[in-house]
């Protein structure tokens, strides 16, 4: 067990492509940290650099205080779990799990004890003599975890370990990975492209985009205080709604109507040199069916009428989708997020808005409803730099 | 060829047109068509492979020497007794086994090294692979002649370089070495190509996992790469062994089998073509056939080599 420090770690390929740029992360001993971002954001490269599978172009990597840049993977005392599980097909489950111990020249009795112990934890005792090809996806995943834990390494590195499982199993395994990590208390770096995994698993989350760290923080902090448009759009499901808006005389003009800025927002904007044209972001849960609100609450926000395109009733909540005609908010971050979500495949006019309403809402599909949003929860972003103008962290 | 008929028929059978009656009738018609479509190829194959095999077995059971055609008669297994009790046969058999073992072993090691290099190369990948394959693309007889000229005393550049005062091809062990060098030079690319195909089957993640698990390059090679590509290795070695056991052209050009360097194929040629003894010659070719079949059987049954679907691939 050890802390891992990435000090301005950069990966530049010979062809000049920059996969990771000056990544600075201090991972505490026993911490569970998530690297998250869309494909090509440099999260796997960063993980591979920690593992020693890729050279570090510049910067320093320290594990347990010792510089690791020049050390071979086998000398770093770390274990890794791959998306493909990378089980040795010619070895039985027992041999797979024992492999790192055998290479470390651990004596036979100890190997057997450790493998049996790991098999008990992971509920693999009955499968020890089978070959990986005879196991189900979930079992293979557990063998891969087993191979990592038998050695009691300084750190676990996990590269999308749950991505090959079906949705239901993934949720189950997510909880068991989390439990296992707490039980063992081993420093863990976990790479995923799934923001739900990032939110639920990690002590802290690192959001990456194009090789640059966007923000580091606890899941709740990233959700409430995104540093920029990219983090705001990436974290949260369904994701935040964005509109083009303009600021004038402490009033915000949005396609949903004009609202007065609250004192909190005004204070945050002070000294930030906010441009006139901004992008406003509102999370789905900050909308409500106006008819359900009492007058004081209602006056804390803005109301507007919208025709509900689709209404999804989840039992506890209702998701109402409607379209705002006119121009969409434009920024490179939003385009990248849309491309990652596959939204560019769907032709659309205007911007689609998702709102989460109480189950008591009387909104109907195709009907027009009066909706409300909380003006104090509006986040404002600079369209050119993507910076969150209402960030207070 | 029968295999082809076998694979076509079930494929046709998997088509399931709707309706029960139509199904069985359509199916039967399609199967019939499949047989008819395969028939010409099957007949040609039978004519060019099965018939010669059967005919040479028939010849091997007769005393049949073209110099004494009048004495031709059926003698049963007498030819086999003659050949198998002849020291000449066993010498050439020993030579063949020796040449096969040594050259396949060297080819395997060099071929693996070459395969690893070709697999890892990033720059000029196509060029390197093409260049590495050139020796395999040259006709064996042509290559053999160039080796012979190179080792001709006084005029050959290799002869001048290595042993200016002796005729290497006329001494037994040096001659063997030259034959082996010629074989290895020629067929290593083939081995490398098959092994490279096998290397492509080893997932990168497996090697990454092994290095994180604590394996250095050698351990990764022995514990992961070789076991995972075992099927490809077996196929490559099997093909090369079947091929090497039938070695003829290199020896024929380089030494003509002098100084007891003749392989079983050279002995067969000497008896059958030079000696015009069809009976003994056929007996020898049947024995070669049986030996090759035994090697293939051991590989397929003993080591679990996947039966190759195509021809032996090692044709020169």
């Amino acid at each position: 067990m050890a802390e891992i420090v990435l000090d301005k770690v950069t990966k530049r390929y010979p062809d000049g492509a920059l996969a990771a740029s000056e990544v600075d992360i201090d991972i505490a001993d026993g911490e569970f940290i998530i690297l998250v971002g869309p494909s090509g954001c440099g999260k796997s490269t960063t993980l591979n650099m920690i593992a020693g599978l890729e050279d570090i172009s510049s910067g320093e990597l320290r594990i347990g205080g010792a510089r690791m840049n020049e050390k071979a993977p086998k000398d770093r005392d770390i274990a890794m779990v791959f998306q493909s599980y990378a089980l040795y097909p010619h070895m039985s489950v027992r041999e797979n799990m024992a492999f790192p111990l055998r290479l470390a020249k651990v004596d036979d009795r100890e190997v057997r004890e450790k493998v049996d112990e790991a098999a008990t934890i992971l509920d693999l005792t009955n499968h020890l003599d089978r070959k990986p090809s005879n196991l189900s996806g979930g079992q293979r995943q557990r063998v891969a975890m087993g191979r990592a834990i038998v050695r009691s390494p300084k750190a676990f590195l996990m590269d999308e370990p749950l991505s090959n499982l079906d949705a239901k199993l993934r949720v189950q395994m997510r909880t068991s990975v989390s439990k296992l990590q707490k039980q063992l208390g081993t420093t863990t770096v976990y790479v995923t492209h799934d923001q739900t995994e990032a939110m639920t698993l990690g002590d802290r989350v690192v959001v990456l985009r194009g090789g640059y760290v966007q923000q580091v923080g606890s899941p709740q902090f990233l959700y409430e205080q995104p540093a920029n448009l990219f983090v705001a759009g990436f974290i949260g499901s369904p994701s935040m709604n964005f509109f083009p808006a303009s600021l004038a005389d402490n009033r915000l003009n949005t396609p949903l109507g004009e609202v007065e800025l609250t004192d909190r927002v005004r204070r945050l904007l002070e000294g930030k040199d906010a441009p006139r044209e901004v992008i406003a972001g509102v999370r789905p849960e900050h909308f409500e069916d106006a008819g359900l609100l009492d007058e004081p609450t209602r006056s804390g926000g803005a109301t507007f009428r919208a025709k509900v395109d689709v209404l999804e009733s989840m039992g506890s909540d209702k998701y109402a989708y409607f379209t705002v005609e006119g121009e969409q908010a434009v920024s490179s971050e939003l385009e990248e997020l849309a491309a990652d979500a596959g939204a560019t495949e769907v032709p659309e006019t205007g911007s689609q808005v998702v709102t989460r309403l109480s189950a008591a809402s009387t909104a109907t599909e195709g009907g027009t409803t009066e909706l409300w949003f909380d003006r104090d929860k509006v986040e404002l972003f600079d369209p050119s730099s993507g910076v969150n103008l209402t960030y207070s962290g | 060829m029968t295999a082809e008929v076998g694979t076509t028929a079930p494929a046709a059978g998997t088509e399931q047109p709707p309706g029960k009656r139509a199904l069985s009738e359509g199916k039967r018609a399609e199967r019939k068509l499949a047989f008819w479509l395969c028939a010409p190829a099957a007949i040609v194959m039978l004519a060019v492979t099965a018939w010669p095999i059967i005919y040479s077995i028939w010849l091997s059971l007769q005393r049949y020497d073209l110099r004494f055609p009048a004495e031709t008669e059926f003698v049963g297994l007498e030819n086999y007794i003659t050949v198998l009790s002849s020291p000449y046969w066993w010498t050439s058999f020993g030579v063949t086994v020796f040449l096969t073992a040594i050259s396949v072993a060297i080819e395997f090691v060099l071929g693996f090294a070459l395969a690893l290099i070709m697999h890892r190369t990033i720059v000029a990948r196509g060029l390197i692979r093409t260049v590495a394959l050139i020796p395999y693309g040259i006709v064996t007889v042509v290559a053999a002649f160039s080796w012979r000229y190179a080792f001709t005393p006084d005029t050959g550049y290799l002869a001048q370089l290595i042993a200016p005062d002796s005729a290497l091809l006329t001494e037994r062990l040096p001659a063997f070495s030259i034959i082996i060098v010629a074989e290895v030079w020629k067929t290593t690319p083939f081995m490398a190509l098959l092994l490279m195909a096998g290397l492509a089957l080893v997932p990168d993640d497996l090697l990454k996992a092994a290095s994180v698990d604590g394996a250095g390059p050698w351990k990764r090679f022995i514990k992961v790469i070789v076991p995972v590509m075992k099927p490809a290795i077996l196929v490559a070695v099997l093909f090369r062994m079947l091929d090497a056991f039938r070695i003829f052209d290199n020896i024929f050009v380089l030494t003509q089998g002098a100084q007891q360097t003749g392989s079983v194929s050279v002995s067969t040629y000497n008896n059958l073509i030079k000696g015009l003894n069809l009976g003994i010659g056929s007996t020898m070719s049947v024995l070669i056939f049986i030996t090759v079949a035994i090697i293939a059987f051991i590989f397929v049954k003993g080591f679990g080599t996947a039966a190759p679907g195509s021809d032996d691939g090692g044709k020169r």
Side-chain angles (χ1 to χ4, degrees), chain A residues 88-147:
Chain A
Y88 309 116
H90 55 289
M91 298 182 195
S92 68
V93 169
R94 178 184 290 282
E95 288 164 338
N96 260 286
M97 294 190 357
F99 189 64
L101 297 174
R102 297 245 180 255
L103 289 171
K105 305 239 183 312
V106 175
D107 67 75
D108 284 354
R109 201 176 49 83
E110 205 181 331
V111 168
R112 203 171 318 117
E113 274 171 18
K114 289 200 164 175
V115 170
D116 286 340
E117 192 187 325
T120 312
I121 295 174
L122 293 161
D123 193 18
L124 286 168
T125 316
N126 295 333
H127 308 301
L128 280 174
D129 297 318
R130 292 164 75 180
K131 287 276 171 70
S133 53
N134 297 326
L135 299 178
S136 70
Q139 288 164 343
R140 285 181 207 184
Q141 209 281 333
R142 296 209 299 271
V143 177
M145 298 288 291
R147 197 172 59 188

Side-chain angles (χ1 to χ4, degrees), chain A residues 74 78 84 86-88 90 151, chain B residues 205-206 210 212-214 223 227:
Chain A
K74 69 187 179 74
I78 37 152
S84 63
L87 300 179
Y88 309 116
H90 55 289
R151 208 152 43 108
Chain B
D205 270 0
L206 225 50
V212 176
D213 281 346
K223 301 265 185 192

Side-chain angles (χ1 to χ4, degrees), chain A residues 363-377:
Chain A
T364 52
E365 206 163 277
T368 302
T369 308
E370 188 170 37
L371 294 173
W372 169 93
F373 69 90
D374 189 342
R375 62 193 167 108
D376 195 41
K377 295 284 166 56

Side-chain angles (χ1 to χ4, degrees), chain A residues 214-226:
Chain A
Q214 301 291 301
Q215 196 174 2
V216 185
S218 71
Q220 196 60 33
F221 183 76
L222 294 193
Y223 188 79
E224 286 166 1
Q225 295 285 338

Side-chain angles (χ1 to χ4, degrees), chain A residues 32-36 43-44 46-48 50-51 78-83 122 141 144-146 148-149 153 155-163 173-174 176-178 180-181 184 186-193 197 201, chain B residues 212:
Chain A
F32 197 147
I33 200 153
I34 314 275
L35 306 183
V36 70
K43 54 190 191 298
S44 291
T46 307
L47 193 76
N48 285 341
I50 300 175
I78 37 152
M80 192 156 171
V81 179
F82 293 82
Q83 180 176 356
L122 293 161
Q141 209 281 333
M145 298 288 291
I149 68 173
F156 294 140
L157 306 180
M158 304 195 183
D159 192 355
E160 310 220 8
L162 306 181
S163 297
M173 284 307 293
R174 202 164 72 201
S176 45
V177 167
S178 178
L180 188 65
Q181 198 271 342
L184 300 169
T186 308
T187 316
T188 304
V189 185
Y190 186 107
V191 160
T192 180
H193 66 269
E197 262 174 38
L201 278 175
Chain B
V212 176

Side-chain angles (χ1 to χ4, degrees), chain B residues 217-292:
Chain B
W218 177 248
K219 289 272 183 196
R220 285 204 293 275
F221 181 73
I222 291 298
K223 301 265 185 192
V224 180
I225 296 180
V226 170
V228 171
M229 61 183 286
K230 186 181 143 203
I233 291 174
L234 286 175
V235 168
V237 171
L238 171 63
F239 278 11
R240 271 307 302 141
M241 274 181 72
L242 297 185
D243 216 19
F245 196 83
R246 296 179 288 119
I247 180 172
F248 177 76
D249 16 22
N250 266 322
I251 297 176
F252 186 74
V253 172
L254 288 168
T255 66
Q256 271 100 28
Q259 315 302 328
Q260 296 182 326
T261 53
S263 67
V264 281
S265 294
V266 173
S267 293
T268 309
Y269 170 84
N270 285 341
N271 279 285
L272 195 65
I273 310 292
K274 270 192 178 164
L276 301 174
N277 191 330
L278 300 189
I280 295 290
S282 299
T283 305
M284 286 178 165
S285 64
V286 170
L287 286 172
I288 294 173
F289 175 79
I290 291 170
T291 316
V292 165

